[in-house]
């Protein structure tokens, strides 16, 4: 996931990922990143540079929650570039609004986005994310019976967790990607930590073993959300550790 690298130019971003030994990129389209919602055509530059470095543009991560003109443009570009998966945005829980009201809105928005994805021939996915109304497989299935799901055990742990085997039972072959990160208790709460530090609330050796046993073939995407002085060194260390775990 390219979030730690901010707004690096496309060429430098691709060269950095290649030097780290990544297979490809989960490219974040967001303000402050290499590609922004206001300038989505930069996707073409990133895709070209990744190809030049023998890397895949495997996932494009967005904050899209409505099937508006921005979504139409981004999904159209992803279709043009052959991006295998586009991750959508989040529908956050707000006690003042109430769950049912947010759920009704999310269902309408997701149905429209799914339709836009079908029109462009692009696969779009809903991520399991803490602080939303889709923090678990069980909650995500209340929003959509159609879309694939981006599994994220770290996010699930932040929310309070859901047993991995049950998540896999519920989602079946709808798992499109798996986010990899970890957190540890710091005082009264959880905080993100380097994957390479080991330990943490997600038992990644056991998690990867279970995913293999269940035949989950979706890509693994390394996330680094913790504070870091040197993003390249930090991500490189975590990536090397993940390769050791998944060997």
């Amino acid at each position: 996931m390219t979030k730690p690298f901010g707004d690096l130019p496309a060429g430098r971003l691709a060269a950095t990922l290649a030097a780290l030994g990544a297979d490809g990129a989960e490219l974040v389209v967001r303000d402050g990143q290499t590609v922004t919602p206001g300038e989505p055509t930069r996707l073409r530059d990133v895709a070209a540079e990744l190809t030049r470095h023998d890397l895949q543009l495997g996932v494009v991560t967005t904050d899209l929650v409505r099937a508006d003109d921005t979504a139409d443009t981004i999904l159209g570009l992803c279709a043009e570039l052959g991006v295998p998966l586009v991750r959508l945005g989040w529908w956050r829980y707000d006690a003042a609004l109430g769950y049912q009201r947010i759920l009704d809105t999310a269902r309408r928005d997701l149905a429209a986005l799914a339709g836009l994805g079908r029109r462009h021939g692009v696969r779009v996915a809903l991520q399991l994310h803490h602080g939303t109304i889709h923090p678990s497989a069980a909650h995500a299935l209340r929003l959509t019976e159609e879309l694939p799901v981006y599994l994220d055990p770290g996010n699930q742990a932040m929310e309070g967790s859901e047993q991995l085997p049950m998540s896999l039972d519920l989602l079946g072959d709808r798992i499109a990607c798996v986010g990899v990160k970890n957190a540890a208790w710091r005082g009264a709460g959880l905080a993100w930590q380097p994957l390479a530090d080991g330990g943490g609330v997600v038992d990644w050796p056991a998690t990867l073993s279970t995913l293999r046993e269940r035949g989950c073939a979706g890509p693994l995407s390394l996330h680094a959300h913790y504070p870091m002085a040197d993003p390249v060194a930090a991500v490189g260390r975590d990536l090397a550790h993940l390769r050791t775990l998944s060997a």
Side-chain angles (χ1 to χ4, degrees):
M1 189 181 192
T2 58
K3 180 180 176 180
F5 304 116
D7 60 355
L8 278 183
R12 283 184 58 197
L13 178 64
T16 297
L17 293 174
L20 290 174
D23 299 313
E26 177 185 344
L27 182 74
V28 178
V29 176
R30 190 173 291 161
D31 289 340
Q33 296 286 304
T34 302
V35 180
T36 67
E39 296 185 89
T41 55
R42 291 181 185 175
L43 277 163
R44 293 192 181 104
D45 299 330
V46 174
E49 289 294 337
L50 290 171
T51 298
R52 192 166 71 84
H53 287 83
D54 296 319
L55 300 174
Q56 183 186 25
L57 180 52
V59 182
V60 167
T61 279
T62 72
D63 294 329
L64 298 174
V65 292
R66 285 180 296 278
D68 55 14
D69 290 344
T70 298
D72 188 44
T73 298
I74 290 174
L75 293 181
L77 284 165
C78 288
E80 171 193 321
L81 299 169
V83 176
L85 186 71
V86 176
R87 199 193 87 185
L88 301 175
W90 312 304
W91 284 263
R92 294 195 178 275
Y93 175 68
D94 182 343
L97 291 176
Y99 173 77
Q100 190 61 49
R101 183 174 174 185
I102 303 168
L103 176 68
D104 292 343
T105 298
R107 282 175 170 167
R108 289 194 298 270
D109 291 337
L110 277 169
L113 284 162
L116 191 59
R118 285 193 302 274
R119 181 161 69 80
H120 284 292
V122 175
R123 195 176 184 216
V124 296
L126 179 68
Q127 185 193 24
L128 304 187
H129 202 289
H130 54 99
T132 71
I133 62 166
H134 43 94
S136 68
H139 283 91
L141 291 176
R142 293 207 66 199
L143 273 70
T144 174
E145 292 286 345
E146 175 183 7
L147 295 183
V149 172
Y150 189 123
L151 189 72
D152 198 311
N155 283 348
Q156 291 172 269
M158 278 285 188
E159 181 73 17
S161 197
E162 176 184 72
Q163 289 190 41
L164 180 63
M166 185 166 72
S167 296
L168 301 182
D169 285 347
L170 289 167
L171 296 174
D173 61 2
R174 291 174 57 187
I175 297 172
C177 187
V178 180
V180 180
K181 53 180 172 286
N182 217 337
W185 288 101
R186 300 284 186 266
L190 285 171
W192 299 121
Q193 70 164 30
L195 183 72
D197 283 359
V201 294
V202 180
D203 184 343
W204 275 107
T207 296
L208 292 171
S209 177
T210 299
L211 291 170
R212 282 192 293 267
E213 290 169 2
R214 294 296 189 99
C216 294
L220 301 175
S221 181
L222 176 67
H223 299 186
H225 294 330
Y226 52 88
M228 58 191 81
D230 184 341
V232 175
V235 172
R237 180 171 172 257
D238 281 351
L239 182 57
H241 183 68
L242 177 56
R243 287 203 179 280
T244 299
L245 292 179
S246 57

